Amino acid sequence: MKSGISSKLYVHLLFWILYYILEVYLDFYWSRYQFPDVDWQIRLQNTIILELGYLLIKMPLAYSLLYVYEKTGIHKILTYVFYGLIICAAVLAHRFFTHYIIYPHIYGVVETLDGKQPSGFINGLVAFNSFMDLIFMVGLIFGVEITRQKNILKEQISRLKSEKLDQELTMLKAQINPHFLFNTLNNIYGMALKKADETPDAILQLSKVMRYNIYEAAERYISIDKDLENIKDFLQIQKIRHHDLVIRFHEDTDDPSQEISPLILIQFVENAFKHGVSEALGRGFIHIDIQLKNKVLHYHIENSKEENPHGHSTKIGLKNIRRQLELLYPKHILTVESTNDRYMVTLIIDFNDPSTF
């Protein structure tokens, strides 16, 4: 609230300074032809004084009209009536100041219409001139204020959209983490039932993975080398259980510090184990290839397909990761292919794309 008031104060203060300078320039330029015999320094001094006087009329007019404009609860007809009364009062004040103060006391002459015929306090031409001078200022101040309000509204909408995306991403991560933990604990449970010697190592490896999920994944972005390290830890857990599984992991990155949203890449690996190689006994394989060149990521996973796939196996991981990619990297390319004996997933993310989250 305080920042909004400060912003309005700065914008309006700048407006009045620039408007005052413009009016001084225009009146000084006009006085050169109206009073050619008067020294320019005196004309400039007179112009500075009279424009300050006009500001005392124009500023109350401007903020009275803005006040009525912002009172949205006022009936439309009443609004127009208030506008008319305020403008009429300002025109009368403008004429009074011009006719009775500026010409006799600052210029030292009688106000005339054409340089010869004296002008009265009110007549059609001079009243119209005063009206146009005031309306010109009103149009400027309304334009500045409406533009300022629109910019604030755009910022608020942008902030709300960003907060909504953050909330949705947080919710998606909250769904993914328990799913990942459930699947991994199932793996270790199977090892424990067999009283496998590797069970303690698997638990230790899981602790590293969960440390990553709890602390690192809380960040919006992490370096890709940390994300790849987490994938390697996950693969170590799987290697302990699946002794006959062929795992090939290849990475080629030219910028390990490139930032990426956590828990995206590993979901494809986890899905490959959960819905692919976990029951491909004796012939299971998973090949992972990651390349990052010139800020373009090429991520490819190919894994063996289980012989008797479950008809109702959960797809929550894939659904969530698709949604995260839509939010974070709108122009990503994701292809998922399935043949009789394998699944293939390819993901391309261009980090140069300005539309990324």
Side-chain angles (χ1 to χ4, degrees):
M1 183 67 179
K2 186 176 291 186
S3 61
I5 295 174
S6 299
S7 169
K8 183 175 182 178
L9 178 63
Y10 293 145
V11 169
H12 282 242
L13 182 61
L14 178 62
F15 166 79
W16 287 114
I17 292 174
L18 294 177
Y19 176 78
Y20 177 74
I21 293 173
L22 173 65
E23 288 294 293
V24 168
Y25 169 77
L26 292 176
D27 257 358
F28 178 71
Y29 188 82
W30 170 83
S31 68
R32 184 175 64 176
Y33 298 97
Q34 190 74 3
F35 307 103
D37 298 330
V38 179
D39 183 72
W40 72 270
Q41 292 179 326
I42 296 176
R43 285 190 291 108
L44 178 59
Q45 178 181 325
N46 291 341
T47 303
I48 290 173
I49 294 173
L50 68 90
E51 285 303 331
L52 284 174
Y54 277 135
L55 279 185
L56 297 178
I57 298 171
K58 293 178 179 180
M59 291 180 72
L61 167 64
Y63 292 109
S64 297
L65 293 177
L66 284 173
Y67 177 79
V68 175
Y69 171 77
E70 292 172 353
K71 288 295 180 180
T72 55
I74 301 177
H75 193 276
K76 185 175 290 187
I77 295 177
L78 267 180
T79 300
Y80 293 143
V81 170
F82 284 139
Y83 282 164
L85 292 175
I86 294 170
I87 292 174
C88 286
V91 169
L92 290 175
H94 190 281
R95 286 299 307 135
F96 180 87
F97 184 67
T98 303
H99 187 76
Y100 290 110
I101 297 178
I102 291 179
Y103 275 92
H105 297 290
I106 295 180
Y107 292 148
V109 297
V110 176
E111 182 184 18
T112 60
L113 293 175
D114 55 5
K116 296 179 181 179
Q117 182 182 356
S119 168
F121 171 63
I122 289 292
N123 63 48
L125 181 60
V126 294
F128 179 75
N129 288 339
S130 294
F131 173 79
M132 291 304 297
D133 183 32
L134 295 173
I135 288 299
F136 173 71
M137 177 277 303
V138 168
L140 290 178
I141 190 66
F142 264 71
V144 168
E145 180 58 19
I146 291 173
T147 301
R148 188 190 69 84
Q149 292 180 5
K150 284 185 176 180
N151 288 336
I152 291 176
L153 182 60
K154 286 181 180 179
E155 291 177 0
Q156 291 174 342
I157 292 174
S158 177
R159 185 168 59 252
L160 287 174
K161 285 183 177 179
S162 178
E163 290 174 356
K164 182 181 177 182
L165 289 179
D166 284 341
Q167 290 173 358
E168 186 171 356
L169 286 168
T170 300
M171 181 187 67
L172 290 171
K173 288 181 180 180
Q175 292 173 349
I176 286 173
N177 288 347
H179 179 62
F180 167 79
L181 178 60
F182 174 78
N183 291 335
T184 307
L185 285 176
N186 267 350
N187 292 343
I188 297 177
Y189 175 71
M191 296 171 60
L193 288 178
K194 297 177 183 179
K195 302 186 185 303
D197 295 336
E198 299 91 343
T199 303
D201 292 335
I203 295 174
L204 180 61
Q205 209 71 38
L206 175 61
S207 70
K208 291 180 61 180
V209 172
M210 292 313 300
R211 189 182 301 114
Y212 174 88
N213 277 261
I214 293 171
Y215 297 107
E216 303 289 348
E219 302 294 329
R220 176 177 289 183
Y221 294 107
I222 60 169
S223 61
I224 196 169
D225 62 333
K226 289 184 179 180
D227 208 42
L228 296 182
E229 187 65 29
N230 182 54
I231 293 176
K232 294 173 187 176
D233 290 334
F234 177 81
L235 292 176
Q236 284 298 118
I237 295 175
Q238 300 301 336
K239 284 180 180 179
I240 293 173
R241 181 183 179 192
H242 301 286
H243 296 285
D244 297 328
L245 182 65
V246 178
I247 299 178
R248 188 185 73 195
F249 181 86
H250 175 261
E251 62 173 301
D252 182 13
T253 60
D254 61 0
D255 183 11
S257 63
Q258 171 63 51
E259 292 187 330
I260 188 171
S261 180
L263 298 179
I264 285 185
L265 302 182
I266 195 172
Q267 288 304 306
F268 296 107
V269 181
E270 194 271 340
N271 278 346
F273 279 97
K274 177 63 178 177
H275 307 301
V277 302
S278 60
E279 295 188 14
L281 300 177
R283 59 179 181 82
F285 69 88
I286 178 168
H287 299 161
I288 303 172
D289 185 59
I290 301 173
Q291 292 185 358
L292 177 65
K293 298 292 184 183
N294 300 320
K295 300 184 79 64
V296 178
L297 175 69
H298 290 264
Y299 183 45
H300 180 77
I301 296 182
E302 186 173 334
N303 62 271
S304 54
K305 192 174 184 180
E306 60 187 53
E307 295 178 352
N308 300 306
H310 299 292
H312 300 286
S313 60
T314 177
K315 300 296 182 182
I316 186 173
L318 187 58
K319 287 181 181 178
N320 283 346
I321 205 61
R322 284 185 185 275
R323 181 56 181 156
Q324 284 196 64
L325 287 169
E326 289 173 4
L327 295 174
L328 295 164
Y329 308 105
K331 295 183 180 179
H332 73 279
I333 299 174
L334 175 63
T335 59
V336 180
E337 302 175 60
S338 177
T339 65
N340 291 332
D341 63 345
R342 67 190 61 204
Y343 287 113
M344 290 163 286
V345 176
T346 301
L347 173 65
I348 300 175
I349 299 176
D350 185 355
F351 296 108
N352 297 293
D353 180 17
S355 67
T356 55
F357 186 72

